[in-house]
Amino acid sequence: MLKTHRHKPLLYLKALTFTLSPKNPLPFSLHFCTNTSNSTSFAVSYLIHNLGFSPQFASKLSSTYHLYFNTSQNPDLVLNFFKNHGFSHSQLCHIITKLPCLLSCNPSKRVLPKFRFLLSKGASNSDIVNLVSKGPVILSPSLENHIVPVYELLYRFLQSDKDTIACAVQNPTILSDHRVPQNIQMLIENGLIDLNIARLLRMHSKILSTSGILKVVEEVKDLGFDPSRSLFAVAMLAKRTVSETKWKEKVDTFKRWGWSDEDVVEAFRKHPHCMLTSIDKINLVMSFWVDELGWDAMAIAKLPRVLGASLERKIIPRAYVVQYLLKKGLHKKASLTTPLVVSDKLFLNRYIKHYKEESSSLLKLYEQKLNLAHATDKINMS
C-alpha cells in the first residue's frame, strides 16, 4: 500500500530540495547497463529500427545518455508495456527521446507504481497517457520521495483529487519539477494565503514551475498589492506571463485612447486582469466605447473590469440599453460602466424592468443585440 501524507504536507517543503548539474540535467536519473562498444552499437541500431530514429539522432541520443544494452529483450519489454497501456508509436518516440534510459528499466518497478498511484487518485487511463506523453519527466523521480509528497502538497490547496489530477494533466511537469515545492514554500513565507496559491494553480500552474518567482512577488508587493487578497495572484500572473515588450505595447495602446501612465498603473491596481487582455480586445472595446458611443475612455480607466466582459454578449447589448436610457433622460447620474459588470439578473431588474413604461422597448433592444451576438458565435463556430 502506498503511504500518503495528507496531514503533513508542509513537512516535505524543506525536505524536497535538489541539486542540478550539467552532467545530471534531471532531478533524478535512471542509470543502468554496462559500457561496451558492442552494446552502444546495438542500442543505436535498436533506436533506428524499432523507433524510426535517424542514424545521426540515434547515435547522438545513445552517446548523450550513455545508453547501452546488448539484446532487445528489455527494450521490447518496455515498449510493449507502454503500448499495452494505450501509448501510440509517436508518443513512445517522444517519451524515449526525453528519457531514453527507460529502455533499460524494469517498467513493472519503475513505471507501473506511478500509474497505479495516479489511478488511485481518480486519473483515467487517457489522463495518464496524456500526462506522461506531454511530460515524460514524471517517470524519472521517486514515487515515494517526490511524487507522492508533491501531490499531497498540491491537494492541500486544491482540496480535491479531481482538481489535483486536472492540474497535473494541464501542467504535466508539476509533479516532477523540484521548483514547485520550493516556490510554494517561498510564497507561503511571503504571506500568500492558501486561496491565492490555489488560484495560481488553477489559473496558470506553470508559474510555479519556473525560476525567479521571488522577484515577481516583490515587484507586485511594491505596486501595493496585498498577498492576502485575491488580486495578488492575478497581478503575479500578469507580471510573470506578459513580456516586457508586450507590457509596453499594452501601455502604449491604453495611452493612445487617452490614458496616462498613472492611469494604467491605477487600472492595474484595481483590476490586474486588464493587462492580461489582448491588444486587439482593448482596441475593440475602446473603439466601440469612444467611436461608436461617443463616451469617455477614462470611464473604463476608473472601472477596468469592463475590459474582461464579452464585447458581443455583454458590453454591446448593455451599452445600447444605457444609451437608450440616456437619450430618454432616464439615466443621468449613474455610472456608464457599472451596468456592464453587474450580474444578468441585476441588469435586467435595474436597467430594464425598473423602467416599466420603457421596459418592452428596452427588452426588445437588448434581446436584438444578444441574438446578434449568438448568431455571430454560431458563424464563428461553423
Side-chain angles (χ1 to χ4, degrees), residues 259-380:
W259 294 18
S260 66
D261 287 308
E262 292 74 19
D263 293 328
V264 176
V265 172
E266 189 57 33
F268 181 66
R269 286 187 180 128
K270 289 178 179 177
H271 191 68
H273 296 81
C274 68
M275 293 305 286
L276 293 168
T277 305
S278 71
I279 290 175
D280 286 344
K281 172 76 178 292
I282 294 169
N283 281 325
L284 284 170
V285 172
M286 291 297 196
S287 178
F288 172 72
W289 190 268
V290 176
D291 299 335
E292 182 74 18
L293 299 174
W295 295 348
D296 187 358
M298 289 308 300
I300 295 179
K302 294 175 182 178
L303 190 64
R305 281 176 59 196
V306 171
L307 292 167
S310 167
L311 180 63
E312 294 81 8
R313 294 188 300 275
K314 188 164 285 188
I315 295 175
I316 291 176
R318 294 187 181 192
Y320 276 118
V321 168
V322 174
Q323 186 184 55
Y324 181 98
L325 292 172
L326 287 169
K327 287 179 178 179
K328 291 287 184 176
L330 300 172
H331 186 76
K332 295 180 179 179
K333 296 182 180 179
S335 164
L336 294 175
T337 50
T338 300
L340 278 59
V341 297
V342 298
S343 68
D344 290 340
K345 182 178 179 180
L346 184 57
F347 179 80
L348 287 169
N349 289 333
R350 183 180 294 176
Y351 300 100
I352 293 179
K353 294 179 182 179
H354 175 73
Y355 303 97
K356 294 180 181 179
E357 293 183 1
E358 303 288 342
S359 61
S360 178
S361 298
L362 287 168
L363 187 60
K364 183 179 179 180
L365 173 63
Y366 181 61
E367 290 180 341
Q368 236 177 14
K369 299 302 179 182
L370 276 181
N371 290 336
L372 183 61
H374 292 318
T376 303
D377 286 344
K378 287 182 180 178
I379 292 172
N380 291 336

Side-chain angles (χ1 to χ4, degrees), residues 50-53 57 61 88-98:
N50 293 77
L51 291 165
F53 294 162
F57 183 73
L61 201 63
S88 68
H89 178 75
S90 61
Q91 289 170 330
L92 265 174
C93 289
H94 176 68
I95 291 169
I96 298 305
T97 296
K98 297 298 182 181

Side-chain angles (χ1 to χ4, degrees), residues 67-113:
L67 191 62
Y68 312 115
F69 45 83
N70 292 306
T71 73
S72 64
Q73 182 178 357
N74 206 84
D76 285 347
L77 178 69
V78 173
L79 295 186
N80 287 331
F81 171 87
F82 280 102
K83 288 176 183 176
N84 290 337
H85 282 82
F87 290 81
S88 68
H89 178 75
S90 61
Q91 289 170 330
L92 265 174
C93 289
H94 176 68
I95 291 169
I96 298 305
T97 296
K98 297 298 182 181
L99 286 177
C101 285
L102 281 174
L103 292 172
S104 300
C105 81
N106 181 340
S108 295
K109 292 182 178 179
R110 171 65 64 174
V111 182
L112 185 58

Side-chain angles (χ1 to χ4, degrees), residues 210-223:
T210 58
S211 303
I213 297 298
L214 179 59
K215 181 181 177 182
V216 178
V217 170
E218 291 173 343
E219 188 175 355
V220 172
K221 279 185 175 180
D222 288 343
L223 285 169

